[in-house]
Amino acid sequence: MRLFDEHVILRFALLITSFLFAALIPDILEHSDNGVVVVPYIFCILFLDYLAVFYRFPSSVAQKKMRSDVNVNEVVLEPIRNYERDLIEKDRLFQMMIDVSSEGFWTFDVSSDKVFWSNKVGKILGIEMLGDSFDVVKSCVLESDWESFRKSLQACLNEKRNFTIRMRLLNKKAGCEEIVISGRPQCNEAGLLIRVIGSLSAIQDSHNLVRENDFLSTCDSLTGVSNRQEFLNELAKDVEKAAGRPDYIFAIALLDIDSFAAINDSYSIDVGDQVLRIVADRISASSRAGDCIARIGPDVFALIFRDIQGDVNGELISIVRNLHSKVKMPLKLEGKELYISVSMSVVVNKDGDCVEDLLANANAVLRDMKKGGNHGGVQFFTGGIREKAMNLYRLEFDIRRAIQAREFILMYQPIVDIVDGDRIVGFEALVRWNNSERGIISPGEFIPIAEETGLIVPMGAQILRMACEQTKIWVDMGYENIQVSVNFSAKQFALDNMVEDVRRILQETRLNPKNLKLEITEYTALCESEKTIEMMRALASMGLQISIDDFGTGYSSLSYLKRFPVNTLKMDKSFVDHVTDDEEDASFARMVIGIANSMNLGLIAEGVETRDQLDFLRSEGCRFIQGFYFSKPLNSEAALAYLRRHYSADTSSSQVSMAFQMP
Ligand code: C2E
Ligand code: MG
Ligand code: MG
């Protein structure tokens, strides 16, 4: 602060000067002859006095500008506003830096005991809800690492020491395996600790980047669990460990989603993918830390339960049961409730099995379950299954070889019209395996394996060609209206080019499609996807007929009958068996006959063996019969002999023209 204004000093100097000039006036008068010279001198003094008292001196440039242009409020507030703007801008910049940084930041406020985490921390840890304490770190890292962190933080608070510590994450899905966390104490002017400021980052050295790439190449991109290769690698490690340490026991499990193709077909691939993701999450949530989880097939998950202790079966059974019951819970997708069935096989490694043995055993259990109709359950591997598994493998190999060697032959079982003189209207082509060692093998022994392994596709094509070739021979011999039914499996219907394959075989064998009928089971019809319906319509438009085999065994709604271009129903043998001695079966048979008649569909009763059964069916209005009562399946020569005896060219009673026409 200044004591005197510069103008006051100037005015004071002018007054002094004017007094000095005034003091000189007597001397001037004394030495001059003429007193007139004093007059300008006096004016000069008066002018100086005027300046000293009245004149308003111009001020300095800055003061002048301040006084003239700016009002006082602005002078005071503007710098404050600039300062605030600056602060906001800096804060925004800081936030941006935090966001773009590959590191996460945190602050711990000593007075409130609360932690603030930047968003990046959540991304690094793979967690959404971070909360306002260090609990989130505790839940993510190994217990021993958490202990070290806790001690370092305590030292930071007590002794105001910086710290940096490495910690290993429990959840490898977070994208990294280790993090580094640093903290620095911050004190106020009085030296009191007010907060700790810190960072948290994934370890990203070159070694870690390699590991990250490894992670991507070992995980299943759809579900995030390990992929098949990684599972095999991990399993090999466990096998090796068990070889060196007899007390080390582990188990593997396979989880197979039953009828997964039907989910994809009935809903969409997208829904199928969501189901797989949910199943993977459920498995991860119900398995123990350290267990390996992988997706090793489109709808098959695999697990390694490591280091099973104590009572192996006791501990393992409860883990497995819990996991299975969680996984198969109904799902809510697109607002609909979806039920899934999951079959699970478990194999405990006890006998020094290799990777292949373990997987083969687990697969054998799954097959055994499916073959035995035990879908959706849990089954443990036992020695017996191992033998069975070996047989199954041998069988699969043999079927493959038999297809190449064309060992499959067809038998033909007559279908008879009982209303019109027991005339033959057609045959059902039934496959047999003419095995060089075992002789004739029935389809019950190999069709389920062929279905499961997909071998039914090449085998089915071979069967269809054989049936068409044989039928063409009979047609050319004059049995023009004969119709041969060929069994078609669901797997064959799943093929994209199925319709084209059938068309090609018909063309190549030059068989009229009216002489061919495809038998599909109720189960295939039940997987009623748009694709199946489209295929059936395409087949029907070619002039082929379609039969629903084993009708009545699917416990299904009958709505599909309206949607499908079906011509004939085949009442399953299990109902025919007891029509004469079980009132329930008799009523069921009546009901099936009623359905077929009311929907104008042809009806064939299968497995008719006795006169009583035949009489019952005839009296209830069933016209077509297939069964041992008329004939067992016959080879082609015997079938021709049967044709010769029982065929009538009269089209009025022919299967083609009447009962099997499109409704
Ligand atoms: P399916 O299609 O229901 O065939 C009828 C089965 O009942 C045949 O058994 C036939 O021999 C048998 N059967 C007919 N009448 C009688 C009878 O009066 N008494 C008794 N006890 N059995 C009778 P098969 O030939 O052993 O075939 C069994 C199943 O194997 C067939 O049931 C079918 O599902 C499947 N199959 C047979 N051939 C083929 C084929 O070429 N392709 C496909 N995908 N499956 C086939
Ligand atoms: Mg059949
Ligand atoms: Mg049948």
Side-chain angles (χ1 to χ4, degrees), residues 52 61 137 145 161 165 169 209 218 250 272 313 344 357 361 368 409 419 428 441 447 451 477 539 574-575 592 626 651:
V61 178
V137 178
D145 290 355
R161 265 203 255 145
I165 181 163
L169 291 181
L209 277 176
T218 56
F250 68 94
N313 289 336
M344 189 169 173
D357 286 341
N361 292 344
D368 197 58
I409 56 166
V419 172
E428 176 173 8
I441 302 173
I447 290 285
E451 293 245 14
M477 288 170 83
L539 293 170
S574 57
F575 301 109
V592 173
Q626 180 183 343
T651 51

Side-chain angles (χ1 to χ4, degrees), residues 428 487 519 549 570 606:
E428 176 173 8
N487 291 284
E519 282 192 15
D549 204 356
K570 293 189 83 171
E606 274 190 296

Side-chain angles (χ1 to χ4, degrees), residues 22-269:
L24 290 174
I25 290 174
D27 274 0
I28 294 166
L29 287 174
E30 200 178 307
H31 293 97
S32 81
D33 311 335
N34 190 351
V36 180
V37 288
V38 178
V39 176
Y41 195 74
I42 290 172
F43 271 112
C44 197
I45 290 168
L46 288 173
F47 180 66
L48 284 175
D49 287 342
Y50 166 79
L51 282 180
V53 177
F54 299 108
Y55 188 70
R56 292 169 71 97
F57 291 99
S59 61
S60 73
V61 178
Q63 282 171 322
K64 188 178 166 191
K65 187 167 173 46
M66 219 157 66
R67 287 197 190 111
S68 59
D69 300 346
V70 183
N71 89 38
V72 176
N73 266 356
E74 282 188 5
V75 170
V76 177
L77 291 180
E78 188 61 19
I80 295 174
R81 283 204 202 109
N82 284 341
Y83 181 66
E84 277 177 351
R85 261 201 301 271
D86 218 33
L87 270 184
I88 291 169
E89 191 54 32
K90 275 186 182 145
D91 199 41
R92 225 175 30 214
L93 255 166
F94 183 62
Q95 269 303 332
M96 268 170 63
M97 278 161 61
I98 284 181
D99 289 345
V100 298
S101 166
S102 60
E103 289 191 30
F105 295 94
W106 56 273
T107 59
F108 171 64
D109 189 68
V110 174
S111 61
S112 66
D113 220 22
K114 282 191 173 153
V115 184
F116 163 78
W117 302 102
S118 76
N119 294 340
K120 198 83 192 179
V121 173
K123 291 201 177 112
I124 294 169
L125 297 178
I127 282 178
E128 266 178 39
M129 305 294 288
L130 293 166
D132 58 5
S133 72
F134 286 110
D135 284 355
V136 65
V137 178
K138 188 178 178 183
S139 67
C140 286
V141 302
L142 291 185
E143 210 177 318
S144 54
D145 290 355
W146 161 253
E147 233 8 72
S148 316
F149 170 74
R150 207 182 53 75
K151 281 182 195 150
S152 304
L153 182 69
Q154 206 58 55
C156 173
L157 295 172
N158 295 343
E159 298 152 36
K160 296 176 194 135
R161 265 203 255 145
N162 295 352
F163 69 90
T164 297
I165 181 163
R166 256 172 119 109
M167 288 189 279
R168 288 157 295 171
L169 291 181
L170 291 171
N171 178 9
K172 291 187 184 173
K173 270 201 287 172
C176 65
E177 289 180 20
E178 284 180 62
I179 52 168
V180 65
I181 188 163
S182 307
R184 206 169 65 170
Q186 195 188 27
C187 300
N188 63 10
E189 283 160 351
L192 282 172
L193 183 75
I194 49 171
R195 65 176 69 89
V196 182
I197 303 170
S199 65
L200 184 153
S201 54
I203 295 181
Q204 288 288 7
D205 51 25
S206 57
H207 175 62
N208 210 257
L209 277 176
V210 171
R211 261 193 283 172
E212 200 168 285
N213 283 337
D214 282 353
F215 172 78
L216 290 174
S217 67
T218 56
C219 94
D220 170 47
S221 55
L222 179 71
T223 59
V225 297
S226 299
N227 60 20
R228 185 184 173 82
Q229 192 50 51
E230 175 66 356
F231 176 77
L232 294 175
N233 295 343
E234 291 291 308
L235 186 55
K237 285 183 205 159
D238 283 278
V239 166
E240 202 181 308
K241 191 168 170 184
R245 263 185 54 194
D247 62 320
Y248 179 70
I249 299 173
F250 68 94
I252 67 161
L254 296 186
L255 278 103
D256 183 303
I257 305 174
D258 300 320
S259 308
F260 183 71
I263 297 177
N264 268 343
D265 288 349
S266 315
Y267 295 86
S268 65
I269 304 253

Side-chain angles (χ1 to χ4, degrees), residues 428-456:
E428 176 173 8
L430 293 160
V431 69
R432 302 285 179 269
W433 181 358
N434 189 7
N435 187 280
S436 49
E437 285 168 22
R438 293 176 55 201
I440 301 290
I441 302 173
S442 75
E445 270 194 60
F446 58 87
I447 290 285
I449 308 295
E451 293 245 14
E452 225 187 291
T453 52
L455 289 172
I456 193 70

